[in-house]
Amino acid sequence: MSDASIKDVTIIGGGPTGLFAAFYAGLRGVSCRIVDALPQLGGQLMALYPEKYIFDVGGLPRILAKDLAKNMIEQGTQFGPEVVLEAEVQGLTLEDGHIRLATPRGDLLTRTVVITAGKGALNPRVLECPGWEELYQARSGVYTHVHQPEEFRGRRVLLVGGGDSAVDWALGLQGIAREVTLIHRRSEFRAHRASVQELRALEAQGKVNVLTPYEVRSLEGDTGCVSAATIFHNDTGEDRTLEVEAVVALLGFKPDLGPIGTWGLELEKNSIKVSQLMETNLPGVYAAGDVVHYPGKLELIATGYGEAAIAVNNAVHHINPKARVAPGHSTNLKIFKQDEGEDAGE
Ligand SMILES: Cc1cc2nc3c(=O)[nH]c(=O)nc-3n(C[C@H](O)[C@H](O)[C@H](O)COP(=O)(O)OP(=O)(O)OC[C@H]3O[C@@H](n4cnc5c(N)ncnc54)[C@H](O)[C@@H]3O)c2cc1C
């Protein structure tokens, strides 16, 4: 690998903190790469709650998570960082003069790292019942996401879950699937109130079946596809068997630092311990956002922005000790080519 492929800063995690870090790396004129395990940028905003409104990001009184992610991607990639998706970073090794990151897409070399891995690689929760694992591994009609609603056209679909995704997809697949049944282990749904009202209205019209409090006992397959689900009532234990042609478990994601825990980083409360400069215990390795811990830490998007700026500016100073840590104000930076006349309101 040539020196040209060694980036100044590699950001592990393309959520809001990582995207803001990429913006700052560009602003400081250093080469940058963002690596994420998921097939898309945006972190939790896109993976967990794209349709929810966020009210506590400065300057944006109310914005959908997916719109904030879109804006952040535009801002974070404007200086052309390399973006490597579907590449969970599995190893981090300090080598002579650089750091080596091992990913399923090959090794990546970098001078510094900013870890903005949030809650880890966001692995979807699955059903822990007989039949799930075999059918899931064989891709036989059981899913943890709805990628393409059309995939479910004309099928009897069982959705499992009580949050926004489960309720939203019960609404979204109605009219596409032949039959939609939603089961949840509690009687109350945790989803947006308006969505639950819509669900109940469709249930009253017989367009969606809603069964609570129910859980899946087992799944059965026939000729390479899931064909039946046995569910049980959580209070009475009574079983029911449903004929199904697809099962989607929409149970959220497991917070799990995964391989990050094996890189020799000092951890506290399942998070990376950092100094006020967002330094970890490994030289050249910084961290920011939900993945870090320090006294008084708040897990908020707004907090991640500040930490990303501190981490990247200190990484720049680490690479070149003559470079100042303070970036200056964006209003005055040549990189944005702002017309000074406009700035002065002339
Ligand atoms: C339902 C919900 C509502 C929320 N509402 C708000 C709100 O209103 N206001 C607010 O401020 N906050 C809110 N939050 C919290 C907010 O989303 C998080 O604080 C924020 O997403 C943290 O950003 P991050 O970039 O640090 O991490 P994340 O958004 O978690 O992004 C981390 C990224 O790192 C990737 N990754 C992890 N490990 C690896 C690895 N080894 N290799 C490669 N990639 C990896 C992941 O795939 C992920 O894309 C909410 C959270 C949830 C779940």
Side-chain angles (χ1 to χ4, degrees):
M1 204 175 267
S2 75
D3 256 15
S5 63
I6 303 181
K7 296 289 182 195
D8 290 321
V9 181
T10 295
I11 295 162
I12 302 177
T17 311
L19 288 165
F20 202 60
F23 162 72
Y24 250 96
L27 180 152
R28 293 303 306 262
V30 297
S31 61
C32 173
R33 168 197 294 129
I34 311 173
V35 192
D36 203 295
L38 295 177
Q40 69 201 359
L41 293 171
Q44 293 178 45
L45 279 65
M46 290 303 291
L48 300 185
Y49 59 105
E51 301 295 339
K52 272 187 179 291
Y53 280 102
I54 297 173
F55 299 88
D56 58 349
V57 173
L60 296 166
R62 173 181 135 114
I63 185 163
L64 276 174
K66 67 178 180 190
D67 292 338
L68 179 62
K70 186 166 162 265
N71 289 349
M72 296 227 55
I73 292 166
E74 182 184 333
Q75 184 183 39
T77 59
Q78 68 184 289
F79 301 107
E82 182 188 357
V83 178
V84 187
L85 296 175
E86 295 185 272
E88 181 178 17
V89 179
Q90 285 152 353
L92 180 154
T93 320
L94 304 182
E95 295 186 345
D96 194 15
H98 60 255
I99 299 164
R100 180 178 295 272
L101 303 175
T103 86
R105 296 186 175 271
D107 285 4
L108 304 169
L109 303 186
T110 185
R111 292 189 178 85
T112 61
V113 172
V114 180
I115 305 175
T116 52
K119 297 291 178 197
L122 297 176
N123 295 313
R125 287 182 204 277
V126 298
L127 290 175
E128 287 171 13
C129 70
W132 170 272
E133 191 56 29
E134 301 88 295
L135 291 162
Y136 188 65
Q137 291 305 335
R139 298 172 185 261
S140 299
V142 304
Y143 306 81
T144 54
H145 295 91
V146 176
H147 287 298
Q148 298 289 338
E150 278 303 315
E151 207 177 335
F152 297 90
R153 182 166 290 283
R155 296 165 82 183
R156 289 177 206 209
V157 183
L158 173 65
L159 302 171
V160 186
D164 280 301
S165 333
V167 172
D168 290 349
W169 281 119
L171 303 177
L173 291 180
Q174 178 269 324
I176 296 175
R178 171 146 66 112
E179 195 176 281
V180 176
T181 303
L182 172 63
I183 69 165
H184 178 39
R185 64 195 167 114
R186 300 212 175 87
S187 300
E188 299 297 319
F189 287 94
R190 283 177 286 106
H192 202 276
R193 208 170 47 174
S195 311
V196 177
Q197 282 169 353
E198 207 181 323
L199 177 77
R200 293 298 184 193
L202 287 173
E203 183 192 12
Q205 294 164 33
K207 293 185 174 167
V208 171
N209 306 316
V210 181
L211 299 173
T212 63
Y214 272 94
E215 288 188 52
V216 179
R217 191 180 294 290
S218 64
L219 298 176
E220 279 165 41
D222 184 21
T223 58
C225 188
V226 63
S227 58
T230 301
I231 60 172
F232 65 94
H233 192 281
N234 237 336
D235 297 334
T236 64
E238 186 194 339
D239 280 359
R240 279 177 73 164
T241 299
L242 308 174
E243 276 183 46
V244 294
E245 287 147 326
V247 175
V248 193
L250 296 162
L251 303 170
F253 290 81
K254 268 192 285 195
D256 176 14
L257 279 186
I260 297 172
T262 65
W263 298 348
L265 292 158
E266 204 177 326
L267 303 178
E268 191 172 333
K269 301 192 175 175
N270 206 30
S271 304
I272 301 171
K273 216 171 150 184
V274 286
S275 71
Q276 283 172 321
L277 306 184
M278 298 297 132
E279 299 158 304
T280 70
N281 59 310
L282 301 180
V285 181
Y286 298 78
D290 275 14
V291 79
V292 303
H293 180 75
Y294 54 83
K297 166 69 186 169
L298 294 176
E299 290 185 2
L300 289 173
I301 296 164
T303 326
Y305 290 167
E307 293 165 359
I310 294 170
V312 172
N313 284 298
N314 280 287
V316 167
H317 180 70
H318 176 87
I319 298 164
N320 174 12
K322 288 192 185 144
R324 291 180 9 183
V325 174
H329 292 146
S330 68
T331 40
N332 297 325
L333 295 179
K334 287 202 184 80
I335 198 161
F336 294 109
K337 301 185 185 80
Q338 184 167 242
D339 182 322
E340 283 179 29
E342 269 177 35
D343 194 24
E346 287 166 6

